[in-house]
Amino acid sequence: MKSIENYDFRGKRAIIRVDFNVPLDDKFEVTDPTRIRAAIPTIKRVLAGGGSVILMSHLGRPKKNNDDKYSLRHIVPAIEELLGQKILFAGDSMGDRAAEMARDLKAGEVMLLENLRFYAEEEGKPRDLSEDATDEQKAEAKKAIKASQKEFVKRLASYADVYINDAFGTAHRAHASTALIADYFHNDKMFGYVMEGELNAIDGVLRNPQRPLLAILGGSKVSSKITIIEALMEKVDSIIIGGGMTYTFMAAQGGRVGSSICEPDQFPTALAILEKAKAKGIKILFAQDSLIADAFSENANTKEAPSNDIPDGWQGLDIGAEAKRSFREHILGCKTILWNGPVGVFEMDKFASGTKAVAEAIVEATAKGAYSLIGGGDSVAAINKFGMADKVSYVSTGGGALLEYMEGKELPGVAAIKK
Ligand code: 3PG
Ligand code: MG
């Protein structure tokens, strides 16, 4: 495999798939530039080596071309600021202008293509199929998009001499720009530094961790975290389960959870997880108490209650004081810590203190020599909100990709470079 570190970029145009799917506010300003900042070293490496750069990314999930809300033009100022130089914006990814701009690109220059998902070909899934389409029509549409996808990939590939995949956050998607395009660059494809760093960090944690190894899993739904919980049970010594999932586990064991988030159809799954953990000798910790509220609102009345004895009309929105203490104590005893998902509704200040306490305990453990890896949009947003990102060992740019990789799945974006 080629490496970005050794490759000779002199006079070469490198097309770099980045994941600049970043959050924007209502003024279209980037609220968390983590993913852009992460990609800067890869871009600079190509430029310093004498090459030029064509950046390509998706933003959000647009369903049609030229939907300005999803235009990458909004993030041009953020890229320029972090990169420290002006970039060219192509305004499209397929048009003549994009092709001309790529052709005329000079060493040291950087251009950005428009949101790849403006074209259905990026994902390779038919759009505009009517609700009542027959199976035959669906098959036709699928065939048509696969055919036009080939042209799409070919055109993207024609812009460059080298392909670099640095979009770890999108590596779990088998899309045109993340996987298929690699076939056009047999001898000139490689990972960027983000990809290399992410894979090394996660491999380090899962293959040869310092023990005890703890996973802290938050989030609202058991149904969306079940595969990762099961996969991690094969690796970790203990798991802290926090967030809305708590109440499904409490209710499954006969607890009262009021109007807390709860998935009754997941009760058997929850009980099976507890059984399995017991059989394997893995400790699972829950918040024994919660901060409960009489409404899902910053203005709600709040009080603390046992997580399995929440009155009607009240819902658990954060962990309680006792849980903060016991989680901290447990975290401080661990040598490797993985954290995915907040333990409360941290977006509202009133319910952020549990997630903050967890973050503080991880920072404290890290200072004492533990290795800590934080991943997933919400936990990364939380650690940034608390200003603690530089006090943990590694902050991943991946959400779904990180979880799938930890589950042991092969990521299409990784496989395409390796094969
Ligand atoms: C993400 O933020 O999850 C990645 O950028 C991938 O986006 P997607 O989930 O819309 O494919
Ligand atoms: Mg996603």
Side-chain angles (χ1 to χ4, degrees), residues 164-184:
I164 301 176
N165 191 345
D166 214 20
F168 178 71
T170 326
H172 57 321
R173 309 287 181 217
H175 292 168
S177 67
T178 59
L180 303 180
I181 192 174
D183 284 344
Y184 285 87

Side-chain angles (χ1 to χ4, degrees), residues 189-369:
K189 58 178 182 179
M190 64 202 78
F191 294 135
Y193 292 122
V194 176
M195 274 284 212
E196 281 183 0
E198 296 272 3
L199 299 177
N200 285 337
I202 308 163
D203 287 347
V205 165
L206 295 182
R207 295 220 179 114
N208 198 12
Q210 286 240 69
R211 292 190 180 271
L213 166 58
L214 161 70
I216 305 169
L217 296 173
S220 53
K221 290 190 170 150
V222 174
S223 51
S224 64
K225 290 284 162 88
I226 175 69
T227 17
I228 184 70
I229 296 176
E230 291 196 321
L232 285 175
M233 277 205 277
E234 304 301 321
K235 320 249 185 206
V236 302
D237 303 297
S238 61
I239 304 180
I240 289 178
I241 294 184
M245 284 193 283
T246 309
Y247 308 103
T248 298
F249 279 93
M250 294 300 135
Q253 297 170 90
R256 274 210 309 162
V257 298
S259 47
S260 307
I261 243 177
C262 184
E263 295 171 281
D265 61 321
Q266 295 296 316
F267 288 174
T269 307
L271 294 174
I273 290 172
L274 296 175
E275 266 312 301
K276 191 168 170 189
K278 207 162 151 198
K280 286 174 127 350
I282 295 168
K283 190 168 180 189
I284 299 198
L285 292 85
F286 294 97
Q288 52 283 57
D289 58 346
S290 292
L291 180 65
I292 63 172
D294 60 359
F296 187 82
S297 155
E298 189 88 73
N299 306 316
N301 296 305
T302 59
K303 58 183 179 184
E304 297 202 340
S307 300
N308 61 1
D309 194 11
I310 299 175
D312 286 345
W314 292 75
Q315 54 188 309
L317 295 182
D318 197 4
I319 61 174
E322 193 45 49
K324 282 181 207 164
R325 246 192 317 274
S326 62
F327 284 1
R328 173 172 176 272
E329 197 181 298
H330 186 76
I331 291 168
L332 288 179
C334 294
K335 280 274 171 266
T336 306
I337 303 156
L338 273 173
W339 181 28
N340 175 270
V343 297
V345 188
F346 79 97
E347 296 89 343
M348 294 190 232
D349 286 337
K350 205 167 201 164
F351 309 109
S353 78
T355 300
K356 189 163 183 206
V358 165
E360 280 167 350
I362 295 173
V363 165
E364 208 180 327
T366 310
K368 283 177 44 195

Side-chain angles (χ1 to χ4, degrees), residues 15 56 65-66 90-100 111-116 118-122 148-159 176-177 181:
I15 192 161
M56 59 175 172
N65 202 342
N66 293 329
D92 191 10
S93 56
M94 288 290 113
D96 291 342
R97 177 136 176 264
E100 278 160 25
M111 69 176 265
L112 172 68
L113 296 175
E114 180 57 287
N115 193 343
L116 296 168
F118 277 176
Y119 292 88
E121 282 79 5
E122 164 63 358
S148 59
Q149 188 183 46
K150 287 207 176 79
E151 297 309 309
F152 180 85
V153 175
K154 195 167 158 190
R155 186 158 174 107
L156 280 181
S158 74
Y159 300 157
S177 67
I181 192 174

Side-chain angles (χ1 to χ4, degrees), residues 19 21 35 58 60-61 117 169-170 172-173 175 400:
D19 187 343
N21 183 27
R35 285 175 163 180
H58 74 289
R61 292 176 177 173
R117 289 190 187 169
T170 326
H172 57 321
R173 309 287 181 217
H175 292 168

